[in-house]
Amino acid sequence: VWPGETVFPDFTSQNCIDWWVDEYERLYQEIKHDALWIDMNEVANFKQGSNKGCVDNKLNYPPYTP
């Protein structure tokens, strides 16, 4: 689905939360709606490790395919 490297917002950051709230409120002003479904919003990664490297443990590399 993604053509290259993909990054994900830090939804625990207040700056990120504020940005999404602003985006949502502006969308609602243009298009009235009852709900919003953001598809493909799950954290997923198809690359082993990361640019900074991942610790080799059972949390980062479980003994099963998630």
Side-chain angles (χ1 to χ4, degrees), residues 4 6 8 10 12 14 18 22 25 30 34 36 43-44 48-49 52-55 59 61 66:
T6 303
F8 297 93
D10 178 1
T12 64
Q14 190 61 50
D18 294 341
D22 181 63
E25 288 173 344
E30 291 186 35
D34 294 324
L36 181 66
V43 177
Q48 276 288 65
K52 298 177 184 171
C54 291
V55 177
L59 292 175
Y61 301 100

Side-chain angles (χ1 to χ4, degrees), residues 41-66:
N41 65 340
E42 75 282 356
V43 177
N45 187 345
F46 303 104
K47 190 175 187 180
Q48 276 288 65
S50 72
N51 290 341
K52 298 177 184 171
C54 291
V55 177
D56 186 11
N57 61 34
K58 289 184 180 180
L59 292 175
N60 290 328
Y61 301 100
Y64 54 86
T65 302

Side-chain angles (χ1 to χ4, degrees), residues 19-31:
W19 184 84
W20 272 108
V21 168
D22 181 63
E23 289 292 304
Y24 182 82
E25 288 173 344
R26 290 191 296 134
L27 174 65
Y28 185 79
Q29 293 304 315
E30 291 186 35
I31 304 168

